[in-house]
Amino acid sequence: MAVDKDRVEGSATNIGGKIKEGAGKVTGDEKLKKEGVVDQVKGSMQNAAGSVKDALKGK
């Protein structure tokens, strides 16, 4: 049973966003922190799209 690639990529983007946000908080870089939050939202949306695709495929 394969998982849709959007779910995998979405999870990776979300994790990367969390890392960026954390780095921004530690360094005081507001731009990096905001980019991290945006990446997390993108990742969550991509993961959700993959979940829908999996559901339609019956997985």
Side-chain angles (χ1 to χ4, degrees), residues 12-35:
T13 301
N14 191 326
I15 291 168
K18 288 181 183 190
I19 292 169
K20 266 188 185 179
E21 182 185 14
K25 284 180 181 178
V26 168
T27 61
D29 186 339
E30 287 298 316
K31 182 178 179 223
L32 185 61
K33 189 166 89 171
K34 288 177 186 175
E35 286 177 5

